[in-house]
Amino acid sequence: MLFELYGRAGRVEDLSEEEYASANRALSSFDVAGLYCHKRYVREKDVLELWAPSLVKMKYAGALFLQHRDSLWRGIPTWPHYRRLADHAEAYLRSRGVDIDRFAAPSAGLPQSRTRSS
């Protein structure tokens, strides 16, 4: 739903309670993955091989949601381990010659059959 929100230039306030909770769960799960990499419980390279495209897509699609969450706790960035991991994922893909613009585009990852009318 964050891809859809991003694709239609929506607002976080437009999300239903269920969608908001789902976005929280997804991003907090990525934050846990980032923490596990930071603590070296898992190899970051292994995580990036599996999740780099999704992490980068979410970096752009979830930017407004992250800004919203940051505004709730000024001075304390939300999900810092996810952010670090997403930055590493972007660097990982760039180092392999991947065109990041296709992940950053508003329609990236947006299934055409699931788009909602505004």
Side-chain angles (χ1 to χ4, degrees), residues 1-2 5 8 11-26 65 68-69 79 116:
M1 106 273 327
L2 288 177
L5 185 71
R8 68 177 194 271
R11 301 173 320 131
V12 173
E13 294 80 10
D14 295 336
L15 295 173
S16 70
E17 284 185 42
E18 295 83 19
E19 290 171 329
Y20 191 94
S22 181
N24 269 316
R25 282 190 302 274
F65 193 84
H68 165 77
R69 287 299 308 265
W79 301 305
R116 291 188 243 166

Side-chain angles (χ1 to χ4, degrees), residues 30 33 36-37 42-58 85-86 88-90 92-93 96 103:
F30 277 143
Y36 286 178
C37 291
V42 297
R43 286 183 32 183
E44 184 175 272
K45 185 176 187 276
D46 292 339
V47 171
L48 295 179
E49 286 175 0
L50 289 170
W51 291 101
S54 295
L55 287 162
V56 174
K57 286 178 190 176
M58 189 60 72
L85 186 61
H88 288 187
E90 186 169 346
Y92 173 84
L93 292 176
R96 281 153 181 73
F103 293 112

